[in-house]
Amino acid sequence: MGKLHIHCRKGESRNFHAQVYVGGNRYRFSCKTTDKVTAHEYARQRLKQLETLHNRGLIGLPESVKVSELFDRYEREYAPKLRESSRERMMHVVAQARAWFCHEPLNDPPIQHVTPQHIQRFLDAKRSEGVTARTVNLYRSNLR
């Protein structure tokens, strides 16, 4: 766990400031409050966020990516490589999946928060709309 230090600069702002150390790096920020308890809680939350980012970097993971960013990258990098007919079909699938994952009911979560149950609910919703099993398999393979 990183180190955390809360202080109030004399002669300057009455707000508390924090200094935290994570992975040998120092981070400084204002807590924007004059209450020490609130400042400590805010700094503790920021420390937790910084530790999470640091730990992701240690195992080679980038910062968290939203589902909408994943769909954007897919459309930008992968879709142009497909044949025209395949691209049209694929873009229809992407549009349907984007509507489900980026709006209601999931509201664009980070990709690591999407579970197999979310994908299964999406496929079940498609089945309930009356699409064929072949189309559901197309959705599944494209999401994979």
Side-chain angles (χ1 to χ4, degrees):
M1 181 162 172
K3 293 182 180 181
L4 169 67
H5 175 70
I6 302 285
H7 62 279
C8 190
R9 296 179 181 158
K10 293 187 173 145
E12 292 183 22
S13 168
R14 294 186 337 201
N15 288 339
F16 279 91
H17 298 271
Q19 185 168 294
V20 297
Y21 294 89
V22 177
N25 295 322
R26 177 177 66 173
Y27 301 91
R28 297 183 291 182
F29 50 89
S30 172
C31 297
K32 299 177 183 163
T33 183
T34 57
D35 179 47
K36 189 171 186 174
V37 173
T38 304
H40 192 271
E41 179 60 27
Y42 175 76
R44 192 184 63 71
Q45 289 174 2
R46 286 283 303 268
L47 174 63
K48 186 176 177 183
Q49 291 172 346
L50 290 167
E51 286 174 338
T52 300
L53 288 174
H54 174 73
N55 292 337
R56 287 181 62 82
L58 287 178
I59 59 174
L61 295 174
E63 292 184 24
S64 64
V65 176
K66 296 277 194 179
V67 171
S68 61
E69 296 170 29
L70 181 71
F71 285 127
D72 291 341
R73 184 173 177 187
Y74 182 82
E75 290 175 0
R76 187 176 59 248
E77 295 178 12
Y78 183 72
K81 297 176 186 176
L82 299 173
R83 283 191 338 251
E84 183 64 32
S85 61
S86 297
R87 183 173 45 246
E88 287 177 14
R89 185 176 55 241
M90 186 77 62
M91 296 313 292
H92 177 72
V93 169
V94 168
Q96 296 287 316
R98 183 186 293 268
W100 177 271
F101 288 98
C102 297
H103 303 295
E104 293 295 329
L106 297 181
N107 297 318
D108 200 16
I111 194 70
Q112 70 265 21
H113 293 156
V114 177
T115 65
Q117 290 80 17
H118 292 129
I119 294 170
Q120 189 60 49
R121 276 191 263 152
F122 170 71
L123 296 174
D124 291 342
K126 290 292 143 196
R127 274 190 204 98
S128 69
E129 290 174 9
V131 299
T132 65
R134 182 173 185 250
T135 303
V136 171
N137 285 335
L138 177 68
Y139 281 106
R140 178 182 294 112
S141 66
N142 287 317
L143 287 173
R144 187 179 59 84

